[in-house]
Structure formats: C-alpha cells, structure tokens
Amino acid sequence: MNAVSSVAPQPITDEEVKAALDIAVEQVRRNLPEFTHAAQNHSSIKNFYPPVANDQWTAGFWPGELWLAFEHSGDAAFRDAAQIQVQSFLHRIVNRIETDHHDMGFLYSPSCIAAWKLVGDEDGRRAAILAADQLIERFQPIGQFIQAWGRKGVAEEYRYIIDCLLNLPLLYWASRETGDPKYREIALIHARTTLANSVRPDDSTY
C-alpha cells in the first residue's frame, strides 16, 4: 500500500497560471476560422462542436471565450471576432430568434455586456438591454417568478427552475446601466420566490 504523502501541495504560481491561460488562448485561436461567423452547437458530434446558426441557449459561451482571450492577450483578432458575434446577437434579439425563454443572461452577459464593458461597444449595450426587456416579459406576477420556458398562460408550462437565478445578473446590470429599477426589482422578487420554494433545509435545491 502506498503511503499518503504528508507534504502539502504547493500553491500554483503566477507563471503556471499564465502558461495555462496561454494554452487556452491558443485553443481559442485555433477555433477562429470555424466560429468567427458562426455559433457552436450545444453538444458535440464525433468530439467536435460543429458551427451552427445563433439560435441555441449556449451561443453566448463562445463569444465569452473570445473576450477572455482578448483580455489576456490583448490580441485584436479576438476583439474583432467577438464584435462580429455581437452583431449576430443584436440581430437575434431584435428579431426575437429563439429568445422566448429565461436564458438571456447566458446569451447576452458573456457576449454583449462584455463587449460594452471592455471596448464600449454600443451595439452590445443595446442588445443586452433588449435582452433584459425580453427576460422581464416572462415575469409571472401571480407566482412571483420568471417563467423558464414555454408559452405564457399555459398551466402545464407555468414553472421556473433553479437555473433561472443564473440569468438574474443581466437584470441587475440593466438597472445599473439604465437607472430603471424595474429590472432589479423583478430579479429580487424572483430570487425571494426561489429561496422560499426551491431550497431544502440542508441547502440543496429541488
């Protein structure tokens, strides 16, 4: 039987962190030809996430990687590709392409809010505010929650899930950005409903 080492692991160094980030950035760079003008599929096919139209709930993750790569490297190629993605996201929300669900935060925070914060992209700001407007349309006053999916007013689709909480930061940002408290108020109401109904005594969730 191997003895368990009593030597405490050493903390990761700044050099190791930078080396890991450099590897990640190069992986993003290798994906630029496939995905500068496309989204990535929500799941892999033969170990590859094929390029698809921007109409899935996971589409915001790739531009989020682009912005992170730009932050780390300063390489304008990542900024340019990410801003191409911003135009796709603006088109999507203006035309309401597969946006009638709660995942607006997943879509518009890593793509468009990042664009506004990092490079002052006005289209990113506009798209993210429109996404926040769409999200609060799903608020159910009687149940006091943001409906996750499905047609509003249909009893069997009248529900939220714990994941809805991950989209609330979009609403807090929209209130700070616009000065309109309605987004924040709806986010707080939804959070309180979730705490009251979805958290067990042991702090796990339904």
Side-chain angles (χ1 to χ4, degrees):
M1 180 180 294
N2 294 328
V4 177
S5 174
S6 61
V7 178
Q10 295 301 304
I12 190 170
T13 66
D14 290 344
E15 291 76 17
E16 289 171 324
V17 169
K18 182 180 183 304
L21 287 171
D22 287 344
I23 291 170
V25 165
E26 289 313 305
Q27 181 62 51
V28 174
R29 191 186 307 280
R30 284 194 291 274
N31 280 314
L32 284 174
E34 291 280 359
F35 300 110
T36 293
H37 296 275
Q40 293 177 334
N41 198 48
H42 55 66
S43 53
S44 63
I45 298 174
K46 296 182 179 179
N47 296 318
F48 182 70
Y49 293 81
V52 294
N54 182 357
D55 59 10
Q56 299 178 0
W57 72 273
T58 54
F61 302 148
W62 164 246
E65 292 177 35
L66 291 171
W67 285 120
L68 290 169
F70 172 66
E71 280 191 279
H72 179 66
S73 69
D75 189 332
F78 297 119
R79 180 200 63 208
D80 294 345
Q83 288 189 280
I84 289 170
Q85 291 285 321
V86 166
Q87 292 305 308
S88 174
F89 279 84
L90 178 60
H91 173 79
R92 179 171 177 175
I93 192 63
V94 166
N95 293 282
R96 299 295 184 104
I97 299 169
E98 296 295 329
T99 57
D100 198 15
H101 52 76
H102 71 122
D103 287 321
M104 295 301 99
F106 288 121
L107 290 168
Y108 285 87
S109 293
S111 59
C112 294
I113 292 179
W116 169 244
K117 287 183 175 181
L118 291 174
V119 299
D121 189 311
E122 293 281 356
D123 284 339
R125 180 182 184 275
R126 177 186 172 210
I129 291 171
L130 289 173
D133 289 336
Q134 192 282 331
L135 184 56
I136 63 173
E137 288 178 11
R138 300 193 64 75
F139 181 67
Q140 293 286 2
I142 295 176
Q144 299 283 280
F145 65 89
I146 296 169
Q147 184 174 323
W149 317 287
R151 296 162 293 169
K152 296 182 288 292
V154 178
E156 59 268 25
E157 297 179 359
Y158 182 80
R159 66 198 182 282
Y160 72 88
I161 60 172
I162 196 69
D163 297 31
C164 295
L165 290 174
L166 293 170
N167 293 295
L168 299 186
L170 171 66
L171 301 182
Y172 291 111
W173 171 84
S175 272
R176 288 194 302 271
E177 195 64 31
T178 65
D180 190 331
K182 67 183 178 185
Y183 305 100
R184 178 180 181 274
E185 289 168 358
I186 288 174
L188 285 170
I189 292 169
H190 179 93
R192 292 184 184 119
T193 298
T194 302
L195 286 171
N197 295 281
S198 296
V199 182
R200 300 186 181 99
D202 66 357
D203 294 326
S204 62
T205 59
Y206 294 105

